[in-house]
Each structure stands twice: as C-alpha cells, then as structure tokens.
Amino acid sequence: MADLDVEAVLQSMSAAAATVLQSKWPAIKSFATAEFEKIAQTVVTIGQGVAAGTITQDQAPILLDMQKNASQAVLAALEGMSVLAA
C-alpha cells in the first residue's frame, strides 16, 4: 500500500476550501488547516493500521465513518465561522 502524503492532501483541502470560502478564508484559515491536517492524518493512521493488522477490515469502515462524522462537524463549524466573518 502506498503511503498517503498528508502534506499533499492538506494542501489540496486548503486550496479547495480557499476557493469556496474566498474572502472569508483568511479569517478561518488557521483553524481549518489544523482540522484538515487531523482528518488527513486520521485516514493515514487507519490505513497503516489495516496494513499492519492492528485494525481489522471490520473496524476500518467504522473508524472511517467516525472520521466522516467528525469532518462534517468541522465543516459545519467552518461554515458558521465563515458566516460570522462576513
């Protein structure tokens, strides 16, 4: 399994968010970037755990679903922050 480049994923996520949020991006950039890094690192950790056998095939989708839910909460918070920044 090829390792996911957390920095590349972080850059892609930040660029996408900056494009969508436009003028609001500077106000939430530091918070968003920290959260995006957590998301990317969690996905990498799950993948490494599956590869190493410390996370089972049954556990991986549950952990990914938990991360998805956490990501949705972060995106909702970012949306709220962007409204406040407007």
Side-chain angles (χ1 to χ4, degrees):
M1 177 184 91
D3 285 336
L4 183 63
D5 182 347
V6 173
E7 188 60 34
V9 172
L10 176 59
Q11 292 297 327
S12 293
M13 293 171 83
S14 295
T19 299
V20 171
L21 296 170
Q22 300 175 2
S23 65
K24 300 169 189 168
W25 177 243
I28 63 169
K29 180 180 178 179
S30 63
F31 177 78
T33 302
E35 290 303 316
F36 293 158
E37 187 170 13
K38 289 177 197 174
I39 293 165
Q41 188 58 56
T42 298
V43 171
V44 168
T45 301
I46 292 169
Q48 290 171 339
V50 170
T54 57
I55 296 175
T56 68
Q57 293 291 331
D58 291 334
Q59 293 169 326
I62 295 167
L63 293 170
L64 286 172
D65 194 45
M66 289 170 53
Q67 183 58 54
K68 180 189 79 171
N69 292 336
S71 297
Q72 288 172 337
V74 167
L75 293 174
L78 290 175
E79 181 179 21
M81 290 174 71
S82 68
V83 169
L84 291 174

